[in-house]
Amino acid sequence: MKGKTKRESTTMLTQRMLPQDANPAGNVHGGVTLKYIDIAGGTVAMRHCRTNAVTASIDRMDFLQPVYVGDLVTFKASLNYTGRTSMEVGVRVEAENMFTGEKRYCASAYLTFVALDKDGRPHEVPPLILETDEDHRRWREAEARRAIRKQERQRERESQRAAQTASLNEQGDDESC
């Protein structure tokens, strides 16, 4: 399968935030920001693999500054890493005050997407061609995040098995009384 560069799928989504996007505090609701992060990230993933791609996880969602109603918000998304069927996309969120022109770095996130074939099964993705030192750095950091996610999933499985075993043992003790 022929590889692709980050430039071939990088996406920038711009959205003006309106009153219906506000939370009770009057700022843009975090869930609205997450929605657009997911849309921008999914666009990158689908442009890279040219098939359907679904969100598998969101990593490191950091809200750094509030987004206000009336702000013009830009979601800059690019591919960091590809596995066999998965891809990590980084999204940076910047808000611009339309009256002053002031721009603020407001949020960032890393998302993992899985490519799907027409039957909804995981589908192989093209490899990512790394062109710059920054591409290589982002790849290494994504590999480290991937390793941490795998370790966390393994710990969760072990914890769940231990809880199930303890529950079964407690049930067995109750029956012997």
Side-chain angles (χ1 to χ4, degrees):
M1 183 178 289
K2 184 179 177 223
K4 294 182 175 182
T5 65
K6 175 176 85 172
R7 288 179 288 121
E8 294 179 70
S9 62
T10 295
T11 297
M12 190 162 49
L13 171 69
T14 304
Q15 182 68 35
R16 184 148 180 233
M17 295 299 159
L18 301 173
Q20 67 263 23
D21 300 320
N23 62 22
N27 301 327
V28 172
H29 199 290
V32 171
T33 302
L34 279 168
K35 172 186 171 183
Y36 288 111
I37 286 171
D38 193 39
I39 290 170
T43 301
V44 167
M46 291 178 73
R47 288 180 84 185
H48 183 76
C49 66
R50 294 297 178 191
T51 187
N52 196 21
V54 294
T55 310
S57 69
I58 297 178
D59 242 14
R60 289 296 314 261
M61 180 61 237
D62 295 318
F63 292 100
L64 306 171
Q65 293 190 51
V67 174
Y68 303 112
V69 171
D71 281 348
L72 183 67
V73 183
T74 304
F75 300 85
K76 298 176 180 180
S78 61
L79 196 60
N80 293 334
Y81 176 86
T82 56
R84 193 177 66 76
T85 62
S86 66
M87 301 157 278
E88 184 193 89
V89 177
V91 181
R92 178 184 171 98
V93 181
E94 295 176 355
E96 177 183 344
N97 180 307
M98 297 288 287
F99 299 108
T100 67
E102 174 205 7
K103 293 182 182 178
R104 301 177 319 280
Y105 171 35
C106 293
S108 63
Y110 297 107
L111 300 89
T112 301
F113 292 88
V114 175
L116 300 177
D117 65 15
K118 62 181 174 21
D119 297 319
R121 288 190 218 85
H123 183 272
E124 198 167 329
V125 301
L128 179 61
I129 298 170
L130 306 176
E131 299 181 297
T132 67
D133 289 342
E134 181 185 351
D135 291 347
H136 286 276
R137 177 189 60 79
R138 292 170 69 103
W139 178 279
R140 286 189 307 273
E141 291 171 357
E143 280 184 315
R145 285 186 293 274
R146 184 173 191 243
I148 290 167
R149 282 192 303 272
K150 280 185 167 185
Q151 290 171 352
E152 288 174 348
R153 280 195 304 268
Q154 181 62 32
R155 277 194 305 272
E156 287 170 6
R157 281 193 291 270
E158 290 169 2
S159 177
Q160 289 169 355
R161 272 185 281 215
Q164 288 173 346
T165 300
S167 177
L168 290 173
N169 288 340
E170 287 175 9
Q171 289 175 2
D173 290 345
D174 289 344
E175 291 174 7
S176 63
C177 293

